[in-house]
Amino acid sequence: MKITASALLVLLLSNTSCQGFVVVSPKTTTTTTTTTSSSSSLFATSNQQDDEQLNNNNNNNKEKNNPFANAIASNMVGFAVATSVLWSSPAMLFSTLPSSMQNNNNNNNMMPSSSSIVAMAKEKASGSGARVNKDADSLLRLGLPITNKEVRKLQTDIENINIDLGSKRKAAALDGVKKVKTQLVSNNKALTSMVNACRPDAKCETFVQNMDPLLSELSLKIAASQDAFTGSEQERTAIDGAYKAWNTLQQELTNLEEGMVPAGYRTPVPSEYSDLPQLQGRATVEFVIKKGPDTVGVFNINGNNYPEAKMTMVIDGYVAPITGGNFIELVQKGFYNNMNIQRSDGFVVQTGDPDGEAVGYTGGTPSKAVGAGPKGERLVPLEIMPLKDYPGQEALYERNIDEDGRGGEATVLPFSSYGAMGWAREEYSPNSGSSQFFWLLFDSDLTPAGKNLLDGNYPCFGYVVKGADFLQDVKEGDIITSAKVTQGVNNLKLP
């Protein structure tokens, strides 16, 4: 039985108990419900009997399953049903952008950066709280291995300006600009602390100097929007100008924080995994996806048509050195080129299952510590980085955060941003991941970071920072025509 958003809503409204959702692998497209005695789960099954039952429900299903799993809290069944409704219809973020970014030509395949969306910066990248940080650029800044408190305060204040702009709290946004300017005054203790925390080779003074005219421009544009009539073209033009200045400002903030990463910093990795690729830093990847032969020939995003979906992703080797290294090596080898999208169900978009019997990458030498999969797949260990251990300590390997006795702790990179990238594996096999990954489509305050059962159970190893909205029209059968590393390939260290 296929579970639709409307069906789930009926279940919710009727208080019907629905204790389990089994989502089959990308090569089998039917979603079925099962009932369990004590817990709820959302996972890809590899059990042969389950395959036979699924095939009975859908004659088009194939026999091979691929690993992907996600547990749903056992004591929150109704909550899970409610969020499932949202998973099946992820919210469009594009409509919240300034008007100048919405009026794209139908043939323009450039989408706005996720930083144009309202940022919700917090001191911690994940954890409980009234606000959920959904901004990929902000989360990546918070994921840098730096400890300077002054720059974290600066980040929060700069990102709060964007929050106020998005809510049209113009007076508050102007106050925020003044607050930031105060922190950047020459001889200010906060500024001195930030500059002194930078590497000698970093141009932190230049980044700070570049912020001053941007703050002035931002202030002028906000003031101009205040003077204009509400809803007028003058107000929209001024607000668009303010967003443009803010976006450049936050880029300088990123440069400043990256300049604080200690020279030669490497997240420690246990020696037994030295025979696996590792990403020692960050890398940028670009995917181009085109429509498959059985889908509509263009990507329709908020009424605008695009011939291809182009997405830019930042892969974080500080937080997930083995997972990130494995992914970057596969991209470099062309593993994902011309591969189909194998799952798109409103919850995730998933790929990475090659043709043939194997469910992962078989071209490399398996790790002695982790071993090989049933068909010779090179496997990687489960890798989770708790916030309390970062920076400076190893991630958790081969066990999730609950199994380490730390259930509920925040992770450095949470699954709270639309397009967050996760490594797929079998539910009860922590070292079963090989090459399959997913982009998470769910983005809601209903499941804050640290509360959503993905954090701490699956490694988040990167975010889509540009073009994430395309994921809303990426369908099964669409084709990855190009996958390439555009920056940071030198950070990949092979065995």
Side-chain angles (χ1 to χ4, degrees):
M1 179 178 68
K2 187 170 184 179
I3 299 299
T4 63
S6 58
L8 288 173
L9 185 58
V10 170
L11 288 172
L12 176 63
L13 294 177
S14 62
N15 293 320
T16 301
S17 176
C18 183
Q19 294 188 324
F21 300 109
V22 180
V23 178
V24 299
S25 65
K27 296 205 172 177
T28 52
T29 57
T30 299
T31 303
T32 64
T33 56
T34 62
T35 301
T36 59
S37 59
S38 61
S39 65
S40 300
S41 62
L42 181 63
F43 62 94
T45 176
S46 59
N47 183 281
Q48 184 176 359
Q49 293 180 349
D50 290 340
D51 289 345
E52 294 173 355
Q53 180 63 42
L54 292 171
N55 287 330
N56 289 335
N57 291 336
N58 186 343
N59 292 330
N60 293 326
N61 284 349
K62 298 182 180 179
E63 293 181 359
K64 184 172 74 170
N65 285 307
N66 99 42
F68 173 75
N70 174 44
I72 295 179
S74 59
N75 60 344
M76 300 180 69
V77 174
F79 179 76
V81 175
T83 55
S84 296
V85 175
L86 295 177
W87 286 343
S88 64
S89 181
M92 273 293 293
L93 301 184
F94 184 62
S95 61
T96 68
L97 297 177
S99 58
S100 64
M101 294 185 179
Q102 295 183 24
N103 298 325
N104 290 307
N105 186 282
N106 286 352
N107 294 321
N108 183 1
N109 62 6
M110 298 301 293
M111 293 294 290
S113 166
S114 62
S115 62
S116 302
I117 313 299
V118 173
M120 292 192 173
K122 303 290 286 181
E123 174 63 23
K124 294 183 178 181
S126 66
S128 59
R131 288 177 175 174
V132 177
N133 190 346
K134 306 176 186 180
D135 184 79
D137 291 307
S138 170
L139 292 167
L140 286 166
R141 282 191 287 267
L142 289 168
L144 288 169
I146 60 178
T147 57
N148 185 274
K149 293 182 180 180
E150 298 296 343
V151 82
R152 291 306 191 202
K153 182 178 184 304
L154 178 68
Q155 176 180 343
T156 299
D157 290 341
I158 288 176
E159 292 173 355
N160 280 339
I161 295 172
N162 199 29
I163 294 174
D164 291 329
L165 278 175
S167 302
K168 291 193 175 182
R169 295 193 296 264
K170 300 174 185 178
L174 277 176
D175 289 340
V177 173
K178 294 176 183 177
K179 186 184 297 185
V180 172
K181 279 193 169 186
T182 300
Q183 296 176 65
L184 300 180
V185 173
S186 299
N187 299 322
N188 183 291
K189 289 183 178 180
L191 177 59
T192 301
S193 171
M194 288 185 281
V195 172
N196 289 342
C198 289
R199 298 188 308 273
D201 64 315
K203 302 177 181 179
C204 289
E205 293 92 344
T206 301
F207 302 143
V208 172
Q209 291 171 4
N210 292 343
M211 290 183 184
D212 186 64
L214 292 169
L215 287 165
S216 298
E217 177 71 9
L218 182 56
S219 181
L220 287 173
K221 294 299 182 182
I222 296 173
S225 72
Q226 286 182 312
D227 295 337
F229 288 109
T230 300
S232 66
E233 184 65 28
Q234 291 81 1
E235 183 193 39
R236 288 193 294 271
T237 300
I239 290 293
D240 287 350
Y243 275 114
K244 182 178 179 180
W246 182 89
N247 189 58
T248 307
L249 176 67
Q250 65 94 22
Q251 291 172 3
E252 295 293 344
L253 172 65
T254 296
N255 294 336
L256 175 63
E257 294 193 19
E258 289 178 343
M260 294 181 180
V261 177
Y265 178 85
R266 302 288 184 269
T267 297
V269 175
S271 59
E272 56 262 38
Y273 305 126
S274 60
D275 54 358
L276 288 169
Q278 296 180 24
L279 183 61
Q280 299 177 344
R282 287 179 173 174
T284 303
V285 172
E286 182 182 272
F287 270 35
V288 177
I289 303 175
K290 293 188 177 180
K291 285 296 180 181
D294 299 326
T295 54
V296 178
V298 294
F299 293 89
N300 186 296
I301 307 298
N302 208 34
N304 296 307
N305 293 329
Y306 303 86
E308 60 185 21
K310 184 179 291 186
M311 296 186 296
T312 302
M313 296 153 280
V314 173
I315 309 304
D316 195 335
Y318 293 129
V319 174
I322 294 179
T323 308
N326 187 69
F327 178 75
I328 292 298
E329 190 207 23
L330 293 179
V331 172
Q332 277 290 93
K333 287 179 175 291
F335 177 81
Y336 297 106
N337 289 341
N338 299 313
M339 182 173 285
N340 284 357
I341 298 298
Q342 295 142 2
R343 176 182 179 183
S344 179
D345 56 10
F347 175 37
V348 298
V349 170
Q350 184 171 331
T351 189
D353 186 356
D355 293 334
E357 294 184 355
V359 295
Y361 174 64
T362 57
T365 302
S367 169
K368 293 181 180 179
V370 183
K375 302 298 180 181
E377 298 93 342
R378 184 182 72 186
L379 304 178
V380 295
L382 176 61
E383 184 176 46
I384 304 294
M385 181 63 79
L387 185 62
K388 290 182 179 179
D389 296 347
Y390 185 80
Q393 298 185 43
E394 297 176 354
L396 299 179
Y397 287 99
E398 306 194 30
R399 62 193 186 279
N400 63 32
I401 208 162
D402 289 322
E403 292 167 339
D404 200 54
R406 306 167 65 176
E409 278 194 25
T411 54
V412 178
L413 296 184
F415 284 97
S416 62
S417 176
Y418 189 89
M421 301 177 70
W423 206 245
R425 63 177 178 86
E426 293 179 2
E427 183 177 18
Y428 300 111
S429 181
N431 298 341
S432 56
S434 177
S435 59
Q436 297 187 43
F437 72 95
F438 58 89
W439 291 282
L440 184 68
L441 304 186
F442 184 49
D443 179 15
S444 173
D445 291 352
L446 286 178
T447 56
K451 303 291 185 181
N452 58 32
L453 274 298
L454 276 176
D455 292 329
N457 286 292
Y458 296 87
C460 179
F461 65 98
Y463 296 106
V464 179
V465 296
K466 190 173 184 180
D469 289 335
F470 282 120
L471 290 169
Q472 299 187 47
D473 197 32
V474 172
K475 307 297 183 185
E476 291 181 20
D478 290 346
I479 302 170
I480 301 169
T481 58
S482 172
K484 60 184 178 181
V485 182
T486 58
Q487 291 181 358
V489 68
N490 292 336
N491 293 329
L492 175 63
K493 304 303 177 185
L494 300 176

